[in-house]
Amino acid sequence: MNNYITQAQQATWPTGFIMKPRVSLVPSEVLHAYQNVPTAHISDTLGRYHGSNLLRDYHNALKHGGMYGNAITVKTRPGDNLMLHAAILCAEPGDIIVVDASGDLSTAVIGGLMRTTAIAKKIGGFVIDGAIRDIEEWAQGDMPIYAKGHTHKGPKKEGPGELNTPISCAGMVVHPGDLIVADADGVICVPADQASTLLNSCQDLAQHEKRVRTQNASGAVDLDRLLNLLRQKNCPL
């Protein structure tokens, strides 16, 4: 849709409106390799201070699974979802639409009708730093969604807003084309330029945890490691 908008046209837009083309930066083979990578492993390899646990999975991720995909970013005025509609139009199958709605819970920015459109377009899911509505429909599980809260109050469609610009969403900095991964533990954003190297680190961590889990299941304890950790903290032994 917005791939055909010229700079001259952009110059005539009202203040506050920005619409940029969809960005895809993570190679498809790398992106799809994250399908079964836990967010906990990504968090550990990113230093344990990335991501958000402030969002609820309204589709029941424990039962229906999480999501992963290329980020389409939206910044909208609280209580308005005009630019979110534009994001759904420009998104491709598998894309995750990430919305900065300023954490506002007074008005929902997405509901059941938009969910139906998203399913038809095979969108990968939504991350909403704000409120949703029609939660019984989302609970059916066929469209992943993470949001800060819910309300029955519906939105307006007036703007302004931004599409495919850097945003802040529930404590995460998200750029267009970043990788979004989410499961029952929460949502995390992987910067596009780190996705390939981080995948290797996550795979190494998975193998390490597999060895530790096997050791723990056998009843063995890594006593030397625990004692060394206690000594480093000057804990009396």
Side-chain angles (χ1 to χ4, degrees):
M1 179 188 67
N2 50 4
N3 292 328
Y4 303 100
I5 296 173
T6 66
Q7 289 186 345
Q9 289 173 317
Q10 292 181 30
T12 65
W13 288 349
T15 301
F17 282 92
I18 299 176
M19 297 179 69
K20 295 187 176 182
R22 174 184 180 274
V23 177
S24 179
L25 300 174
V26 180
S28 60
E29 65 274 13
V30 174
L31 186 149
H32 292 304
Y34 276 89
Q35 181 175 5
N36 297 311
V37 177
T39 56
H41 287 181
I42 299 172
S43 176
D44 284 355
T45 54
L46 281 174
R48 299 183 176 178
Y49 59 87
H50 286 263
S52 175
N53 60 354
L54 303 175
L55 303 168
R56 171 181 169 184
D57 52 315
Y58 277 88
H59 67 289
N60 190 352
L62 277 175
K63 180 179 180 181
H64 299 292
M67 63 186 186
Y68 70 99
N70 181 77
I72 300 288
T73 61
V74 177
K75 184 175 179 63
T76 185
R77 182 174 59 83
D80 193 282
N81 72 352
L82 178 61
M83 206 56 65
L84 181 47
H85 280 277
I88 291 175
L89 287 177
C90 84
E92 295 187 5
D95 284 346
I96 307 297
I97 297 179
V98 187
V99 181
D100 173 8
S102 301
D104 177 68
L105 299 180
S106 66
T107 308
V109 295
I110 189 171
L113 295 179
M114 297 172 74
R115 168 184 168 275
T116 304
T117 303
I119 292 172
K121 290 205 64 175
K122 296 181 171 53
I123 287 172
F126 295 89
V127 181
I128 310 291
D129 190 4
I132 69 171
R133 68 175 184 173
D134 302 321
I135 62 173
E136 289 187 10
E137 296 181 50
W138 295 104
Q140 295 175 23
D142 43 5
M143 177 53 57
I145 188 165
Y146 294 75
K148 187 165 285 186
H150 63 274
T151 177
H152 55 81
K153 297 179 181 179
K156 295 183 178 180
K157 298 173 179 61
E158 298 178 356
E162 299 180 7
L163 178 62
N164 287 320
T165 63
I167 63 169
S168 173
C169 179
M172 299 182 294
V173 175
V174 184
H175 290 79
D178 281 348
L179 170 64
I180 301 296
V181 183
D183 56 22
D185 281 335
V187 183
I188 196 162
C189 174
V190 179
D193 61 354
Q194 298 182 36
S196 296
T197 55
L198 190 75
L199 178 61
N200 295 328
S201 299
C202 289
Q203 292 170 339
D204 290 343
L205 178 58
Q207 291 301 313
H208 169 73
E209 288 197 354
K210 182 178 180 180
R211 291 191 295 269
V212 173
R213 188 173 289 107
T214 300
Q215 176 179 298
N216 291 347
S218 71
V221 178
D222 190 352
L223 185 60
D224 289 339
R225 175 175 174 271
L226 293 175
L227 289 176
N228 285 334
L229 287 173
L230 291 169
R231 291 189 183 101
Q232 291 173 15
K233 302 298 180 182
N234 295 319
C235 183
L237 299 175

